[in-house]
Amino acid sequence: MQSPFITELNQQNFMQVLETSRQTPLLIHFWAPVSQESSEIIPQLQQLAQNYNGAMTLALLNCEQEQSIAAQFGVQALPTIALFVNGQPVDGLGGPQPIEMIEQMLAKHLPSQEEINLSKALELVASGQHAQAMPLLTALSAELANRGDVKLALADCYLEAQNFEQAEALLQAIPLEYQDNYYKGLIAKLEIHHQAANSPEIQSLEQQRASEPNNAKLAQELALNYHQVNRDDEALALMWQFISQDLNCLDGDMKKSFMDILSALGQGNTVAAKYRRQLYSILY
């Protein structure tokens, strides 16, 4: 497995690799082809290193090829696992071990998987990869999700995804100490949306509809304007008032607009899912 987090130890690079433990914890796996247990666990260790995403480095030492290095460490059983921090061994395991035992050992010295996921998510947000960061942020525990910096990052993702209601709810709950320039920038984005979402054209249509509540064509036009500024719940609710009473409203054009909005929102949208269920209830 080619990875910046995994390396093969040998006489030439040994001291250089060991020195890296002063910056990043180093897990050395002593193994040999003649020891089936020591070779079989290598793919799991490699995946573990990938999961830690740079929080630790895995070094593989083939004791048959590098007997002198193995002798320096006094390796007597295969496999042997040793964790180095700041150039010194801090923990280890001798003999065959399930991967869970190794994970437990590492958990005493390294960040948790959830903390690693959070760090990765924040890096993704900072680099503009909001869609990739969103699932990592929404999967965090309540304890981490309540942190101010996490709420800001998630609000940022919601704004990029045009989920303005969720973004606004999060920004309203940001503690004072996190209301920095990043926070102010997100608030500004939200304000721009609010201004666009309440344009003079929409206000004019709303006033007309107030005096003509049964005008289906006017309601459809207002709903489509709502959709253009991501006020989709209001758009669908307005159309639903008409198609729930007459599926053939406006010769079926109201239902078509309704379904076009559902399609545009996609299968994963909770608002669309609600109205899709309501539509199916009268169709079937």
Side-chain angles (χ1 to χ4, degrees):
M1 178 182 291
Q2 294 295 320
S3 167
F5 315 132
I6 302 168
T7 187
E8 296 278 351
L9 269 185
N10 55 50
Q11 195 68 49
Q12 287 69 42
N13 68 6
F14 170 67
M15 291 306 299
Q16 180 183 353
V17 172
L18 189 61
E19 189 66 20
T20 66
S21 72
R22 298 189 182 279
Q23 287 76 44
T24 305
L26 172 70
L27 184 69
I28 300 180
H29 175 60
F30 298 89
W31 72 286
V34 295
S35 168
Q36 184 176 353
E37 295 91 345
S38 71
S39 57
E40 284 182 343
I41 200 171
I42 288 176
Q44 291 175 284
L45 290 172
Q46 291 173 325
Q47 187 57 58
L48 191 59
Q50 291 296 107
N51 292 344
Y52 269 106
N53 194 40
M56 69 95 163
T57 301
L58 172 66
L60 303 173
L61 185 117
N62 185 331
C63 294
E64 286 185 6
Q65 295 179 353
E66 305 294 341
Q67 295 181 19
S68 61
I69 299 177
Q72 289 180 46
F73 285 96
V75 174
Q76 297 180 350
L78 293 180
T80 289
I81 293 282
L83 180 65
F84 286 77
V85 176
N86 293 321
Q88 300 297 321
V90 296
D91 212 337
L93 295 168
Q97 304 286 342
I99 193 68
E100 292 79 12
M101 288 296 296
I102 299 170
E103 290 173 338
Q104 290 176 22
M105 182 195 78
L106 291 175
K108 295 185 291 183
H109 306 278
L110 301 177
S112 69
Q113 188 61 57
E114 189 174 52
E115 290 169 329
I116 292 168
N117 288 343
L118 172 56
S119 178
K120 182 178 180 181
L122 295 178
E123 289 176 7
L124 288 169
V125 171
S127 62
Q129 300 179 70
H130 297 84
Q132 294 87 338
M134 177 86 80
L136 293 174
L137 291 170
T138 55
L140 294 173
S141 66
E143 181 181 0
L144 285 179
N146 282 328
R147 280 175 34 177
D149 58 338
V150 176
K151 288 181 178 179
L152 283 173
L154 188 54
D156 198 347
C157 292
Y158 281 139
L159 286 171
E160 287 296 316
Q162 299 187 337
N163 294 332
F164 297 103
E165 289 184 9
Q166 294 96 321
E168 184 168 17
L170 281 171
L171 290 172
Q172 288 175 348
I174 297 297
L176 186 61
E177 62 266 29
Y178 286 95
Q179 294 183 19
D180 54 11
N181 288 335
Y182 182 31
Y183 165 82
K184 292 174 183 176
L186 297 180
I187 289 291
K189 287 184 181 180
L190 189 61
E191 183 58 32
I192 290 171
H193 161 71
H194 284 324
Q195 291 172 4
N198 199 28
S199 66
E201 183 179 3
I202 287 177
Q203 292 180 44
S204 175
L205 288 169
E206 288 174 335
Q207 290 170 4
Q208 293 179 59
R209 172 161 161 71
S211 60
E212 300 179 63
N214 296 319
N215 187 328
K217 190 64 179 174
L218 182 61
Q220 181 189 38
E221 185 179 357
L222 176 57
L224 291 173
N225 273 270
Y226 281 155
H227 172 58
Q228 288 175 3
V229 294
N230 301 295
R231 294 170 65 175
D232 295 304
D233 202 348
E234 293 170 275
L236 292 167
L238 182 53
M239 288 185 174
W240 181 250
Q241 292 177 25
F242 290 87
I243 63 174
S244 62
Q245 301 300 318
D246 178 12
L247 268 175
N248 201 40
C249 179
L250 298 178
D251 295 327
D253 197 43
M254 182 76 82
K255 184 180 75 172
K256 180 182 181 303
S257 295
F258 185 87
M259 296 187 72
D260 284 345
I261 293 176
L262 293 180
S263 297
L265 294 177
Q267 292 293 328
N269 185 280
T270 54
V271 170
K274 179 179 73 171
Y275 286 101
R276 209 174 269 117
R277 287 193 300 270
Q278 292 180 191
L279 180 60
Y280 292 162
S281 71
I282 62 173
L283 285 175
Y284 307 106

